[in-house]
Amino acid sequence: MGHQTNKQIILKNYVNGFPTESDMEVRNGAIQLKLPEGSNGVLVKNLYLSCDPYMRNRMSNIKGSYIDSFTPGSTITGFGVSKVIESGRADLNKDDLVWGLTGWEEYSLITAPETLIKIQHTHDVPLSYYTGILGLPGLTAYVGFYDICSPKKGDTVFVSAASGAVGQLVGQFAKSFGCYVVGSAGSDEKVNLLKNKFGFDDGFNYKEEHDLDAAFKRYFPNGIDIYFDHVGGKMLDAVLANMRLNGRIAICGMISQYNLEKSEGVHNLMELVAKRIQMKGFLILDSYHLYPKYLETILPLIREGKIVYVEDIDEGLENAPKALIGLFHGRNVGKQVVVVARK
Ligand code: NAP
């Protein structure tokens, strides 16, 4: 194969505040569908792209972040599912399916192919799941809940952004472990999913709760043992005041702060002392080694229908900017995926 047109999503400029579609553009590039001589890279056709909140970080010029910023004028990169066209990596062959870091474009030459994980696709689970329940969000929920939260049967658990890619799984893991689980989400439709699809004991629309402290006193009259935090800010503050003795807080993310020029303060930290609460942040990038074990655990649960997963799928690479910025407005219902091609 020779030169091929290659539609790409470019970051136009660094972003301040909320990202908008005009911070990105669709460009018609070209790619040589042949590996350069001697390359150990992997040439792929991209199928499904994952939209993830951490990508907002990469859209600004932040010094000293745990992850590099995108370069204005260059193709955005992120996690995705791809099909191998040609491989310089010994264990990958043409037509193999992989997930890992790729470009927001139709075809990519991946020059750090060690980040790619080969998918043993069995056709009884959707391939797009490797951006979500079978990818990093799934592993995040698993490690975050079982390792960071140290759950005990009967614990009361609160999950914020509970209908999202990670949250819907945290809730289901906690329920199956024997915990009492309440989630918050930003619409009645999402709260309905929490209670009727994911099996949460209860849920509330935080946008309609003007007094979060009162809401927690209503949903957790005896307090919260575990908080799985996805949003930070005022929610974290209100939770702190409602934690129980020896509670655990897993700081997975703080999406309510990502677009603010200056983070909101958290005022109730003294609760950590008085109630001997452990609050721990974690990055899933440190737990890649647990992925095979996680996969072995989760696949049978999906097949037996014991765990369900909701995705929000947008068709077409050109819709990727809209899908990405939608995360910061709660537009996605479930895991946000963009389909570039289905095979
Ligand atoms: P997601 O929940 O599928 O999507 C983001 C959701 O966040 C939106 O749908 C929206 O839902 C909610 N949201 C947006 N702005 C908000 C605000 N100002 N206040 C409250 N909620 C807001 O995303 P995800 O992939 O599962 O990620 C969830 C969190 O986990 C993020 O903070 C992310 O950075 C973090 N994360 C961390 C790791 C790690 O390694 N530590 C790995 C993966 C994800 P509502 O409609 O409910 O508001």
Side-chain angles (χ1 to χ4, degrees):
M1 277 188 269
H3 268 103
Q4 168 75 42
T5 58
N6 193 22
K7 213 188 291 170
Q8 303 169 313
I9 306 295
I10 308 294
L11 179 73
K12 277 188 358 204
N13 46 266
Y14 283 131
V15 175
N16 292 310
F18 279 82
T20 62
E21 281 186 60
S22 61
D23 292 318
M24 293 166 265
E25 70 179 347
V26 183
R27 182 193 285 168
N28 287 316
I31 187 169
Q32 180 84 33
L33 285 188
K34 183 98 200 81
L35 269 187
E37 199 64 38
S39 166
N40 69 344
V42 178
L43 195 59
V44 298
K45 178 180 187 190
N46 293 311
L47 304 180
Y48 298 95
L49 298 178
S50 176
C51 295
D52 293 287
Y54 82 89
M55 295 172 75
R56 171 64 188 84
N57 232 335
R58 306 193 69 189
M59 298 174 96
S60 291
N61 191 12
I62 304 173
K63 298 266 178 299
S65 173
Y66 67 94
I67 191 160
D68 289 344
S69 298
F70 296 135
T71 307
S74 300
T75 309
I76 286 175
T77 56
F79 286 89
V81 173
S82 314
K83 188 167 78 174
V84 175
I85 295 175
E86 199 183 344
S87 171
R89 198 176 102 172
D91 61 333
L92 288 178
N93 296 304
K94 184 173 184 313
D95 292 335
D96 279 350
L97 294 163
V98 291
W99 74 267
L101 270 179
T102 188
W104 276 31
E105 54 193 350
E106 291 172 289
Y107 300 93
S108 298
L109 171 60
I110 299 173
T111 51
E114 61 279 3
T115 62
L116 297 177
I117 295 180
K118 185 171 169 172
I119 297 174
Q120 312 288 348
H121 191 45
T122 48
H123 298 282
D124 58 348
V125 289
L127 194 50
S128 54
Y129 274 17
Y130 288 89
T131 65
I133 184 170
L134 299 177
L136 284 189
L139 187 63
T140 303
Y142 179 74
V143 171
F145 180 67
Y146 291 105
D147 289 356
I148 309 289
C149 294
S150 309
K152 292 193 300 297
K153 207 169 166 357
D155 276 349
T156 56
V157 177
F158 175 60
V159 188
S160 51
S163 68
V166 180
Q168 58 177 300
L169 292 173
V170 174
Q172 292 180 76
F173 292 158
K175 268 313 287 178
S176 69
F177 196 79
C179 299
Y180 176 81
V181 190
V182 178
S184 66
S187 72
D188 294 347
E189 177 196 5
K190 292 182 181 185
V191 171
N192 187 42
L193 272 181
L194 298 183
K195 296 198 277 194
N196 299 319
K197 178 111 187 152
F198 305 133
F200 283 60
D201 292 289
D202 220 330
F204 63 88
N205 178 348
Y206 69 93
K207 290 182 180 163
E208 285 178 358
E209 296 285 351
H210 299 296
D211 183 346
L212 285 172
D213 185 60
F216 287 121
K217 298 220 156 29
R218 210 160 66 240
Y219 288 101
F220 295 98
N222 299 314
I224 300 167
D225 292 304
I226 291 175
Y227 174 38
F228 202 101
D229 189 14
H230 285 136
V231 309
K234 293 183 183 66
M235 186 77 89
L236 174 59
D237 235 346
V239 170
L240 277 165
N242 286 278
M243 290 295 290
R244 298 182 72 184
L245 201 63
N246 298 317
R248 281 86 66 207
I249 300 178
I251 304 289
C252 178
M254 294 199 172
I255 195 167
S256 75
Q257 308 298 297
Y258 297 173
N259 300 301
L260 304 182
E261 211 164 294
K262 192 167 177 294
S263 298
E264 292 171 308
V266 178
H267 304 279
N268 291 326
L269 287 173
M270 187 57 199
E271 298 280 335
L272 299 179
V273 180
K275 292 180 184 155
R276 292 78 147 179
I277 295 164
Q278 290 188 42
M279 181 156 88
K280 188 168 169 29
F282 70 103
L283 271 181
I284 202 55
L285 304 177
D286 300 332
S287 300
Y288 257 62
H289 60 286
L290 297 174
Y291 181 69
K293 183 173 161 231
Y294 170 64
L295 201 58
E296 222 171 81
T297 309
I298 199 74
L299 273 171
L301 296 176
I302 297 173
R303 292 193 177 114
E304 291 158 24
K306 291 189 175 142
I307 291 275
V308 293
Y309 200 61
V310 170
E311 300 178 301
D312 194 332
I313 298 193
D314 278 343
E315 295 284 338
L317 179 64
E318 61 284 358
N319 289 315
K322 184 172 83 186
L324 178 60
I325 67 171
L327 295 175
F328 306 101
H329 302 283
R331 174 181 168 273
N332 61 308
V333 180
K335 168 66 203 172
Q336 182 65 58
V337 184
V338 173
V339 185
V340 185
R342 288 188 185 273
K343 57 183 182 171

